[in-house]
Amino acid sequence: YMGFDASMKKIKYKGKFELNYVSPSQIIVKALANGNKSVVKSDYQQEIYKINIQQDKFVVANTNDSLIVGDIETNAMSEVSWRGSGKEKFDFSNPGICMVFNAGELSIIQLGNNEILGTCRTEYMSTHLVSARIGYSPDPAQKTEKVIAYLLDLQTIYIQDLNTSSIIGNITH
């Protein structure tokens, strides 16, 4: 048996990963510690021009028209249409969710889902001031609960249903 390894280029990333560019729109990320592989690819066949790995677990990749985020341990990848500023901040502190902060707007992406769950305007971008939750119901007839709580201003907390984009509560303190 003879195996082939086709690649356009291979690079080491922070001494912990190997990035194997197998096409302009597909990169195989290999963890050097355990050999686990994860595929990062553009479903739109767009060239991936930038890739970062955060917390040794999460991938953030950019194409001209989309953003790819994912968990390389579970292979839950998402690609959403995106025209970014290049100054986005990414937060993966809520399980199964990527929060993208950009120019006063927060976008929520559920890993494994190729659409933005919801957005909200807030100037308070600290991860300690935003909480996003996705609750799965054992009853398939019930809609999955998707909720975000965030600081609208220094005295007001908004709670928003991401399924309907409606405010389901606000707390003034």
Side-chain angles (χ1 to χ4, degrees):
Y1 172 78
M2 183 179 274
F4 291 96
D5 185 5
S7 63
M8 294 171 49
K9 71 177 176 179
K10 277 188 186 181
I11 60 171
K12 292 266 194 287
Y13 184 89
K14 295 184 179 176
K16 296 180 179 182
F17 297 93
E18 177 183 83
L19 304 180
N20 184 356
Y21 290 73
V22 294
S23 77
S25 62
Q26 184 171 329
I27 302 169
I28 298 172
V29 177
K30 179 181 174 183
L32 296 175
N34 57 20
N36 287 350
K37 292 181 181 179
S38 184
V39 176
V40 178
K41 70 175 185 136
S42 170
D43 292 331
Y44 303 120
Q45 302 302 313
Q46 294 279 318
E47 179 178 355
I48 298 170
Y49 67 84
K50 181 178 171 189
I51 184 167
N52 285 310
I53 299 172
Q54 299 184 358
Q55 303 167 26
D56 293 340
K57 177 178 168 133
F58 301 105
V59 67
V60 176
N62 299 86
T63 74
N64 284 331
D65 299 315
S66 67
L67 173 69
I68 303 166
V69 293
D71 182 329
I72 56 178
E73 290 179 3
T74 65
N75 288 313
M77 298 287 166
S78 301
E79 183 175 16
V80 296
S81 292
W82 191 262
R83 287 282 186 176
S85 65
K87 297 179 181 176
E88 296 88 349
K89 290 185 174 39
F90 300 91
D91 180 273
F92 294 92
S93 60
N94 292 286
I97 294 173
C98 175
M99 295 189 294
V100 186
F101 300 105
N102 186 34
E105 185 169 87
L106 169 64
S107 299
I108 306 291
I109 302 169
Q110 180 181 358
L111 300 181
N113 187 343
N114 290 335
E115 59 188 39
I116 294 175
L117 270 183
T119 60
C120 63
R121 302 263 335 144
T122 177
E123 294 302 320
Y124 303 94
M125 296 298 189
S126 167
T127 58
H128 304 292
L129 302 176
V130 176
S131 178
R133 293 289 177 258
I134 298 176
Y136 298 96
S137 171
D139 179 4
Q142 281 191 321
K143 202 169 197 176
T144 300
E145 182 180 72
K146 299 174 183 178
V147 177
I148 182 173
Y150 60 95
L151 212 56
L152 181 68
D153 56 44
L154 288 175
Q155 283 79 37
T156 311
I157 299 170
Y158 266 15
I159 304 166
Q160 180 177 340
D161 182 334
L162 295 172
N163 287 318
T164 62
S165 296
S166 60
I167 302 301
I168 55 176
N170 76 43
I171 300 165
T172 305
H173 62 95

